[in-house]
Amino acid sequence: MFKNALLSIKKNIGKTILLFVIMVVIANLVIAGLSIKSATSKSIASVRQSLGSEVTLSYNTQNMMINREQGQALDEVVSSITVDMADQLKDLDYVESYNYTLSVSATSDDIDPVETTASNDSDTTTDDNKQMPDSSDNSNSDRGQFMDSNDFTIIGNTTMANLSDFTDENYVLTSGKLLTEDDAGTTNCVIESNLASDNDLEVGDTFSVTTTNSDDEEITVTLTIIGIFEIESSSEIGGMMSNRQNPMNYIYVDISTAQTLNDSTTDITSASYYLDDPDNIDAFIALAESETDIDFETYTLDANDQIYQSSISSLEDMEQFANIFLWVVVGAGCAILCLILMLTMRSRFYEFGVFLSLGQSKLKIMLQQLIEVLVIAVVAFALSLGTGKMVSNVISGMLESTQSNQSEMVMEIPNDIGDGLTDSDKTSDNSGGRGNLLDQAMTSPENTELDVSMTASTAVQLAGITGLICVVSVLLPSIYILRLSPREILVKKEG
């Protein structure tokens, strides 16, 4: 049977070459579909991982605005988050660590803030040394400074280890250390480098800050500097209306110190929970809703789901396209091979009739046809492993370019589309011809998340799909031909 299959392949060289070319094309199309599917799956996982596993308990502002009566002040409807409320979530499953945050506005007689706006000579000064803008000056910045007499923002945290500004390296520690859980109950603090240099401060120095409670009583705490950080991202220094909104005037302290300055040990601004895996976010939120008595009509657990959904929507569409593409390739491949094999089998009626007359079973004849196709498929499969690498590189290059363009569009929207293009952009836009595709085919993508190089898993999937196509394309024509009796087959012999 195997010998007969090899002899048939050698004898019908034209059919063999045709089947070989078709199978190579089909295999490369399958690889293209698997490449798109693999790349989008990796990208979706990357997006989820990049957003992290942080879930934040905060006030549900959207519901608050819906339920707020017309003309009602915001402070009459906003409810503070309490420590008892936040503690209900910290011991739930999936939580690896947590951080409570409390922000308080403060002043200081010991240090000067990094000024947000320059003072005018015409400005008058009040008895308490706070600048008051001249009545003829209606600038928004001066009004903002006059209305907000607090120069500093005290930010209390359980730990600074997971603060996004530091983990994303928008802020970089230049001296000392950040606050950890070991600093609980202390008055240690971390300040910005410009604030430190303007006041000749360094690690180990102390200064006092002051707040005023609801009874107009001053609360003063002396802080000890244990760390100094520097702002690396220029985007952090825009849109400030007052000194306390300037991140250079942020002072990080332990949560207990912030509570002392806030004159409350029960209220916090927000609570963040860091889970063991981003995939467990939905399960954690569901568990929080069922296991705690928190009113999630008033409060909400924010996991950046809106950002996640908007980021992966196009990737999910592409993954769905890859699945449809694979089914189309399998269906078209089966149909084409069935048609070719049916035409070639009709020319072999006499051969089949003789085999059946000699007592060979129909099953063995079908197996011989399958062996012929599989031998050709194995050679085509081996060749496609090489050409498939180039196909993967092209697909990866396209996806990488698309992802990069989307990121640039999100980060920057130029006022004039034409002016927003640099010379290099225009050159790259016009270089998408055959040479560029050839370069992509020969070069692996730089983005490892989109590198869909041929792996053992891809090869196994390709082998399985190719085998399925071969079996279906042999089975259907064989059933059609071999359902006839030997006599009927011999009568249908052509030429």
Side-chain angles (χ1 to χ4, degrees):
M1 184 171 58
F2 185 78
K3 182 179 179 180
N4 289 338
L6 294 179
L7 289 174
S8 178
I9 291 174
K10 185 177 180 181
K11 177 182 177 182
N12 302 293
I13 190 67
K15 181 201 75 172
T16 300
I17 294 175
L18 179 61
L19 288 176
F20 174 76
V21 172
I22 291 175
M23 287 183 179
V24 169
V25 172
I26 292 174
N28 279 275
L29 290 176
V30 171
I31 290 174
L34 292 175
S35 298
I36 296 173
K37 188 175 180 180
S38 173
T40 51
S41 297
K42 289 180 181 179
S43 296
I44 290 173
S46 176
V47 170
R48 179 71 271 180
Q49 292 292 335
S50 66
L51 291 176
S53 56
E54 179 181 356
V55 181
T56 303
L57 176 67
S58 57
Y59 192 80
N60 193 328
T61 307
Q62 184 176 5
N63 283 350
M64 179 267 289
M65 296 305 294
I66 293 175
N67 297 326
R68 170 179 167 267
E69 297 179 2
Q70 185 176 2
Q72 189 175 14
L74 295 181
D75 60 359
E76 294 179 355
V77 294
V78 174
S79 301
S80 299
I81 298 173
T82 65
V83 174
D84 290 341
M85 186 188 304
D87 283 345
Q88 295 181 53
L89 300 172
K90 69 178 183 179
D91 295 324
L92 293 180
D93 291 341
Y94 315 117
V95 177
E96 284 193 334
S97 60
Y98 65 93
N99 179 46
Y100 297 165
T101 301
L102 175 61
S103 297
V104 186
S105 300
T107 59
S108 177
D109 293 330
D110 294 343
I111 60 174
D112 296 320
V114 177
E115 294 292 343
T116 301
T117 57
S119 301
N120 294 326
D121 293 337
S122 60
D123 288 344
T124 56
T125 306
T126 61
D127 292 340
D128 59 354
N129 293 324
K130 295 296 179 184
Q131 290 182 345
M132 180 181 295
D134 186 81
S135 58
S136 62
D137 188 348
N138 293 322
S139 67
N140 290 332
S141 59
D142 281 344
R143 286 203 306 270
Q145 276 195 314
F146 174 64
M147 293 174 63
D148 189 351
S149 61
N150 293 300
D151 290 322
F152 304 95
T153 296
I154 310 298
I155 305 176
N157 291 281
T158 308
T159 175
M160 295 178 66
N162 296 310
L163 294 184
S164 59
D165 281 323
F166 290 92
T167 57
D168 295 341
E169 297 186 349
N170 293 327
Y171 300 170
V172 177
L173 186 70
T174 58
S175 179
K177 70 183 188 72
L178 299 179
L179 295 168
T180 65
E181 294 177 354
D182 294 336
D183 296 294
T186 69
T187 56
N188 295 337
C189 72
V190 176
I191 64 174
E192 203 273 334
S193 58
N194 289 285
L195 179 62
S197 60
D198 285 1
N199 293 277
D200 296 324
L201 297 174
E202 59 185 19
V203 173
D205 290 344
T206 60
F207 62 91
S208 297
V209 292
T210 302
T211 59
T212 303
N213 63 16
S214 57
D215 297 326
D216 290 333
E217 298 174 345
E218 291 188 347
I219 302 173
T220 301
V221 174
T222 300
L223 306 178
T224 302
I225 302 172
I226 65 167
I228 297 174
F229 69 91
E230 186 175 79
I231 298 176
E232 292 288 332
S233 174
S234 59
S235 62
E236 297 289 326
I237 316 177
M240 300 171 297
M241 294 292 294
S242 63
N243 286 338
R244 72 176 182 83
Q245 293 176 309
N246 187 342
M248 296 179 185
N249 294 320
Y250 289 176
I251 301 174
Y252 291 89
V253 299
D254 176 62
I255 188 71
S256 62
T257 302
Q259 289 175 328
T260 299
L261 291 168
N262 194 46
D263 197 24
S264 173
T265 59
T266 59
D267 296 341
I268 57 177
T269 305
S270 65
S272 298
Y273 304 90
Y274 305 94
L275 310 187
D276 53 2
D277 193 307
D279 291 335
N280 292 328
I281 287 178
D282 291 338
F284 170 73
I285 294 176
L287 189 64
E289 292 175 349
S290 62
E291 297 294 329
T292 68
D293 58 9
I294 300 174
D295 180 11
F296 284 104
E297 292 294 324
T298 304
Y299 305 94
T300 183
L301 284 170
D302 182 14
N304 285 331
D305 279 342
Q306 292 180 345
I307 298 177
Y308 175 62
Q309 294 299 333
S310 63
S311 298
I312 68 168
S313 58
S314 60
L315 293 174
E316 287 180 334
D317 291 341
M318 191 176 297
E319 186 175 34
Q320 185 178 9
F321 164 77
N323 290 328
I324 296 174
F325 181 78
L326 282 174
W327 281 110
V328 170
V329 170
V330 171
C334 290
I336 294 172
L337 290 180
C338 282
L339 180 60
I340 294 174
L341 290 175
M342 186 174 293
L343 293 175
T344 57
M345 284 182 180
R346 289 177 65 87
S347 66
R348 299 173 65 183
F349 278 162
Y350 182 75
E351 178 185 345
F352 296 152
V354 170
F355 282 145
L356 291 173
S357 299
L358 295 175
Q360 192 171 74
S361 67
K362 292 182 179 181
L363 178 60
K364 286 188 176 181
I365 295 176
M366 292 175 63
L367 288 177
Q368 178 183 329
Q369 304 303 308
L370 181 60
I371 291 172
E372 293 177 15
V373 175
L374 287 178
V375 169
I376 299 173
V378 168
V379 179
F381 173 79
L383 178 63
S384 66
L385 292 179
T387 57
K389 169 63 177 176
M390 294 187 289
V391 173
S392 297
N393 289 343
V394 171
I395 296 296
S396 298
M398 291 178 178
L399 293 176
E400 186 176 19
S401 176
T402 300
Q403 188 182 61
S404 177
N405 291 337
Q406 288 177 342
S407 298
E408 290 175 3
M409 290 175 65
V410 172
M411 295 299 294
E412 180 178 0
I413 303 177
N415 293 329
D416 188 292
I417 296 177
D419 295 338
L421 291 175
T422 63
D423 293 338
S424 60
D425 292 330
K426 296 174 182 177
T427 301
S428 62
D429 287 342
N430 295 325
S431 61
R434 289 188 296 269
N436 192 31
L437 286 178
L438 181 60
D439 291 340
Q440 289 182 0
M442 301 305 296
T443 307
S444 296
E446 296 179 359
N447 189 345
T448 56
E449 295 297 338
L450 294 178
D451 186 0
V452 288
S453 302
M454 293 295 296
T455 61
S457 176
T458 305
V460 169
Q461 292 180 67
L462 175 61
I465 294 174
T466 303
L468 175 63
I469 293 175
C470 291
V471 171
V472 174
S473 61
V474 169
L475 184 61
L476 295 180
S478 297
I479 291 176
Y480 172 76
I481 299 294
L482 298 180
R483 64 185 176 84
L484 304 174
S485 66
R487 181 178 180 280
E488 290 173 321
I489 292 176
L490 291 174
V491 169
K492 289 179 177 290
K493 172 182 176 292
E494 294 184 0

